[in-house]
Amino acid sequence: MRINSLTIKNFRCYYGENKISFNSDGKITLIYGDSGYGKSSFLQFFNWMFYDKPNFGDKDDKPLYNISAFKEKKLNDILEVSGIIDFEHLGIKYNLIKKLDFKIGLKEKSTLVVGRDLRLSVLNNDNWEPYKGDIANKINNIMPIGLSSYFLLDGEKARDIVLDAKNLKKAIYSLFEIDAYEKAIKHLGSSHQKKSVIGYFNGLMTSQMTVTSNNMSAAEMQEHLEDLFDEIEGMKEERRDIIAKIDAFNARREEIFKTLGETNNKSNLNQIIKQDKQFISDYQVKIRGYKRKIGELFYKNYPSLILSNVTSNSSTILRRKNADIASNYKNVFENLKKDLLKEVIDKNICICGRELDEKSINHINSIINVMPPDSYAYQFGQFVSKSKKQIQVAKTSVLDYDKYLSCISQYEQKISICEDDIHEKEETLKRLDAAKTLVDELENIKIELEGLNRRKSGLEGTIAQKKQVYELASKKLKDLQKNDKVAKEYGSKIDFFQRAHDILVEAKDSMEIRVKEVLNRCVRDVFKKLSTQKDLDPDTIQFINDDFSLRTTYLSGGQLAVDEYSYVIGLIKALQECQAGNNENPIIVDAPFAFTGNAQSEHIFKTIPTIAKQTIFLTLDLNKIKNLLSDQSLYEFYVIKNETQSKARIERGHINDIKL
């Protein structure tokens, strides 16, 4: 999917109709807005349009419609909240329209929805035609809801989506078309799945068998096995969910233990922050020193460099004027004696053509009074020689300019590293300051784990018992089938579908392993570009877990954000490398630099558009990327302007209008 444009009308804080076009040729669309101006609402607009599931948080009780527009309406008037998104997918253009009509009541709570409209149109031969299928399914196939929290990312809630392995795995299966194998495998099924091919033939077979065991027919035994199989599979699914919760609680417990263990290091962290700040101060002093040297270099040598340019341009003029004088006063000019200087005084014009001022006249007269016949030529030659030396010195000195600039760049880089380190340490200190509440959380986790482990143990015991019964019943049924003519007739058909089932399982497992390897490699490649950690070897890290979720190491804020972006960008890169059909999803991020330092933020800003076809950032923190904002080829800029909390508008802007 690539979004071309959208219209947002009376949605939350957005007053009236707002239109915005998006770039999809590698530039980032940068949308700037102050705190509370509507960046989060803009992100949730996409969730509302695509999935009808905007998430404003549990404490947010504001209505979906715009309050200012509501106040302008009269009782029983209709207030329209709507959106239009024009987008492309696999070369096909779509137009999605969604609208809610609210009937104005006496109060906000009595203002209710009285009309709904959802339409998806497809451009076919320059004509827009309505999409006749299920719109929600179509959108979900284009951009699966399981990946929506990654592609529609809230930078401040990155941690919340790391462990959502269940939905994520479904989305990965869909994107890489592994689900096609899974659907085919499920369709073929097994002998104990009623609504499957193998189950169907198995049912036909047992229904026609006449043999019995313990007063049960083969068909009754088959039905009993099917019910038992479903029951065991249901308990296995419940056990998997419990194990996932146990793993999440254990990971959180380890993080708490680590945090509580670090509380003793607060003084060390504060000392490191203090040391980093001192380093920054020292580096800034050195940078100012080098800038002063550049200034001195400029003012000291600039006149001579100008003289070099001027003398080069003037020499042609001087030669021409000298030639004129030489033709008229050949003898005098050739000897350059006193008579020439006297004639210059008489004519009041220098040989270069300019009129003499009083100072020049006095200077020439003083020379005439004391000079021997050839001293003018000597003095002129000395002046030229001296000027040439000054020009040469100036040209040589200018070479120091690049050296000074290089030193400044090195110290600025060191400052950026120190700032990132300070940011990381401050994030750690915030977590340490919250350690008082962690003890209570740890106790709650202990209670939860005890309950979950009891449920898990109980399930495992029940599963073991049921499996034992299942295996005995299955063996009895197979014994009956060995000597039955009907079973032999159907056996070859069932064996054929079983072999097909096994081949598909093998192909699916192979595809899953390949996707996991490619995804892990792509995430690692992106991580190398984004991370600022010097003491970490990414080649030794397994980024992708077996369930396709991101590694759960619970790093500090900045590095966790880097992991998140590495996964999102790596996912797009992996789709491209696997040549999957769906490989152009946009990345829309609210607060992209919430937990990253300057260097990390710059790496993210520069790396994402090299892989993603479309990137949209909603941010108020431009200072972290200010070094890149001078290059306007990297981004397009929009500003959210907000007269009041409920009168936001989006307009194209210019970075120079923002005070950094």
Side-chain angles (χ1 to χ4, degrees):
M1 174 189 288
R2 285 193 282 182
I3 300 169
N4 295 324
S5 65
L6 67 79
T7 301
I8 178 171
K9 182 177 181 181
N10 293 330
F11 179 84
R12 296 279 288 187
C13 63
Y14 289 97
Y15 175 77
E17 198 170 80
N18 291 263
K19 295 182 180 180
I20 183 172
S21 299
F22 295 99
N23 187 285
S24 59
D25 61 0
K27 281 187 178 183
I28 288 178
T29 300
L30 196 60
I31 302 176
Y32 171 82
D34 211 337
S35 182
Y37 271 33
K39 297 185 299 299
S40 296
S41 291
F42 189 84
L43 180 72
Q44 294 307 323
F45 172 76
F46 290 98
N47 277 316
W48 177 65
M49 288 290 293
F50 291 146
Y51 312 110
D52 204 27
K53 291 184 178 180
N55 180 13
F56 299 106
D58 297 334
K59 296 180 180 179
D60 191 317
D61 58 354
K62 296 176 183 176
L64 199 66
Y65 55 79
N66 182 268
I67 297 296
S68 290
F70 165 80
K71 291 178 179 178
E72 293 174 0
K73 295 287 185 180
K74 297 177 182 178
L75 184 65
N76 295 328
D77 280 353
I78 298 299
L79 173 60
E80 178 187 317
V81 175
S82 63
I84 302 172
I85 298 181
D86 288 304
F87 65 93
E88 293 180 45
H89 180 65
L90 301 179
I92 300 172
K93 291 186 177 181
Y94 296 87
N95 173 263
L96 178 66
I97 298 175
K98 189 170 190 176
K99 185 173 73 167
L100 294 179
D101 287 332
F102 289 85
K103 188 174 182 180
I104 302 298
L106 290 172
K107 296 180 180 179
E108 290 178 16
K109 290 183 179 179
S110 59
T111 297
L112 304 174
V113 176
V114 294
R116 298 175 185 271
D117 188 17
L118 177 63
R119 283 174 284 163
L120 180 66
S121 301
V122 183
L123 188 63
N124 186 11
N125 294 326
D126 296 328
N127 293 317
W128 286 102
E129 299 177 356
Y131 178 74
K132 296 178 181 178
D134 187 302
I135 295 175
N137 284 342
K138 181 64 176 178
I139 295 294
N140 193 58
N141 288 336
I142 292 174
M143 190 162 75
I145 191 171
L147 287 178
S148 61
S149 53
Y150 283 80
F151 291 118
L152 305 176
L153 179 62
D154 185 340
E156 294 180 338
K157 298 177 182 177
R159 183 184 296 257
D160 298 341
I161 68 171
V162 171
L163 294 176
D164 190 11
K166 188 174 180 180
N167 287 328
L168 179 61
K169 187 173 182 177
K170 288 180 182 177
I172 295 289
Y173 269 37
S174 174
L175 280 174
F176 288 92
E177 299 165 357
I178 302 174
D179 60 343
Y181 291 97
E182 196 171 45
K183 288 174 184 175
I185 291 166
K186 188 177 179 181
H187 177 66
L188 290 172
S190 70
S191 60
H192 307 309
Q193 288 176 294
K194 296 178 184 178
K195 296 180 180 180
S196 67
V197 173
I198 295 174
Y200 170 76
F201 281 102
N202 209 63
L204 283 177
M205 177 180 69
T206 55
S207 67
Q208 297 176 33
M209 288 172 63
T210 57
V211 293
T212 59
S213 175
N214 296 332
N215 297 322
M216 287 182 70
S217 67
E220 289 172 329
M221 292 176 70
Q222 172 67 24
E223 189 174 350
H224 173 67
L225 281 170
E226 288 171 352
D227 292 340
L228 200 54
F229 178 85
D230 289 341
E231 196 176 348
I232 291 170
E233 288 300 306
M235 286 189 288
K236 284 181 178 178
E237 181 66 26
E238 186 180 352
R239 183 180 62 180
R240 281 193 288 271
D241 290 342
I242 290 172
I243 289 172
K245 289 178 182 177
I246 289 172
D247 289 343
F249 277 126
N250 280 329
R252 178 60 179 159
R253 185 173 64 173
E254 288 177 14
E255 182 189 20
I256 291 173
F257 280 138
K258 182 181 176 183
T259 302
L260 291 173
E262 288 175 347
T263 52
N264 296 326
N265 296 327
K266 285 183 71 174
S267 58
N268 293 338
L269 291 172
N270 281 313
Q271 186 61 37
I272 292 172
I273 290 173
K274 185 178 179 181
Q275 188 178 20
D276 281 339
K277 286 181 176 178
Q278 184 59 50
F279 283 147
I280 289 173
S281 179
D282 293 343
Y283 295 149
Q284 287 173 337
V285 169
K286 291 180 178 178
I287 287 173
R288 285 197 295 271
Y290 281 115
K291 285 183 176 179
R292 194 177 296 113
K293 286 183 178 180
I294 287 175
E296 291 173 354
L297 196 68
F298 177 83
Y299 289 112
K300 192 173 181 180
N301 297 289
Y302 188 70
S304 295
L305 295 175
I306 288 292
L307 177 63
S308 170
N309 188 45
V310 170
T311 52
S312 175
N313 293 332
S314 301
S315 59
T316 303
I317 299 170
L318 290 173
R319 281 196 298 272
R320 188 172 66 248
K321 289 187 176 294
N322 288 344
D324 292 340
I325 293 173
S327 62
N328 295 326
Y329 306 98
K330 186 175 181 181
N331 294 331
V332 177
F333 180 75
E334 284 176 349
N335 295 317
L336 285 175
K337 298 190 183 295
K338 279 186 183 182
D339 292 343
L340 176 60
L341 290 181
K342 288 178 181 178
E343 190 167 340
V344 168
I345 290 288
D346 292 339
K347 290 194 171 188
N348 197 29
I349 295 176
C350 178
I351 59 170
C352 67
R354 70 177 176 84
E355 188 176 343
L356 299 179
D357 55 22
E358 186 178 352
K359 184 178 179 181
S360 300
I361 293 171
N362 293 335
H363 180 65
I364 293 173
N365 281 327
S366 64
I367 293 172
I368 291 172
N369 292 335
V370 297
M371 67 183 289
D374 60 346
S375 62
Y376 177 83
Y378 173 77
Q379 283 195 9
F380 181 76
Q382 285 293 97
F383 168 75
V384 172
S385 176
K386 186 177 180 182
S387 296
K388 285 181 179 179
K389 287 179 182 178
Q390 287 175 336
I391 290 168
Q392 191 60 41
V393 169
K395 287 181 178 178
T396 305
S397 299
V398 168
L399 297 176
D400 291 335
Y401 174 74
D402 289 334
K403 182 179 73 176
Y404 294 153
L405 275 185
S406 176
C407 291
I408 289 173
S409 177
Q410 289 174 16
Y411 284 120
E412 284 178 340
Q413 190 174 7
K414 289 180 179 180
I415 286 174
S416 180
I417 292 170
C418 286
E419 286 175 342
D420 286 344
D421 192 46
I422 289 171
H423 182 79
E424 293 283 348
K425 299 296 184 292
E426 286 176 342
E427 286 293 325
T428 304
L429 284 174
K430 286 179 186 177
R431 290 190 293 117
L432 296 181
D433 289 337
K436 298 170 187 176
T437 62
L438 294 181
V439 176
D440 293 336
E441 186 182 349
L442 197 61
E443 184 61 29
N444 291 333
I445 287 175
K446 179 184 175 185
I447 295 169
E448 290 283 351
L449 282 172
E450 288 173 353
L452 288 169
N453 280 312
R454 280 196 299 271
R455 284 172 58 194
K456 176 172 166 280
S457 298
L459 275 172
E460 286 174 343
T462 306
I463 289 170
Q465 291 173 359
K466 299 269 184 189
K467 282 180 76 174
Q468 191 174 13
V469 174
Y470 175 84
E471 287 167 2
L472 286 171
S474 183
K475 184 176 183 300
K476 285 182 181 179
L477 182 59
K478 285 180 180 177
D479 289 341
L480 290 176
Q481 292 170 349
K482 283 181 182 177
N483 301 315
D484 190 87
K485 291 182 179 180
V486 174
K488 288 179 181 178
E489 290 176 8
Y490 279 98
S492 59
K493 295 178 181 178
I494 293 172
D495 287 344
F496 169 78
F497 287 116
Q498 187 61 54
R499 285 195 299 273
H501 175 277
D502 295 342
I503 290 170
L504 285 170
V505 168
E506 186 178 344
K508 178 216 163 195
D509 291 343
S510 176
M511 181 67 174
E512 190 171 322
I513 290 169
R514 178 172 175 259
V515 168
K516 212 172 290 181
E517 288 174 349
V518 172
L519 183 56
N520 191 70
R521 174 169 50 76
C522 290
V523 172
R524 179 186 292 121
D525 291 345
V526 177
F527 180 87
K528 289 177 180 178
K529 295 180 180 179
L530 301 188
S531 179
T532 56
Q533 288 187 312
K534 304 298 182 185
D535 56 345
L536 192 66
D537 183 6
D539 292 323
T540 63
I541 298 173
Q542 184 70 24
F543 287 91
I544 308 303
N545 298 322
D546 286 339
D547 57 4
F548 287 100
S549 62
L550 185 63
R551 63 173 180 152
T552 53
T553 51
Y554 286 100
L555 301 163
S556 60
Q559 203 55 53
L560 176 61
V562 167
D563 269 29
E564 279 294 320
Y565 288 119
S566 299
Y567 192 104
V568 174
I569 307 169
L571 183 56
I572 293 175
K573 193 170 189 283
L575 286 167
Q576 293 167 354
E577 289 198 12
C578 290
Q579 297 181 332
N582 195 354
N583 63 17
E584 51 183 26
N585 287 301
I587 299 177
I588 306 172
V589 192
D590 179 23
F593 314 124
F595 297 106
T596 52
N598 292 355
Q600 292 169 332
S601 300
E602 289 186 359
H603 292 172
I604 291 168
F605 191 78
K606 288 191 291 187
T607 303
I608 284 186
T610 64
I611 297 170
K613 297 285 175 63
Q614 187 174 53
T615 311
I616 301 167
F617 279 166
L618 300 142
T619 183
L620 60 77
D621 195 358
L622 297 177
N623 281 300
K624 291 182 178 179
I625 56 168
K626 64 182 178 182
N627 293 331
L628 304 174
L629 294 177
S630 59
D631 186 356
Q632 295 186 22
S633 65
L634 295 175
Y635 62 92
E636 288 188 343
F637 192 69
Y638 285 84
V639 179
I640 300 176
K641 297 183 178 180
N642 204 331
E643 293 177 29
T644 66
Q645 285 293 311
S646 60
K647 273 203 172 183
R649 299 194 68 84
I650 300 180
E651 299 175 3
R652 187 178 285 274
H654 196 281
I655 194 66
N656 293 338
D657 298 334
I658 307 300
K659 293 182 180 179
L660 299 179

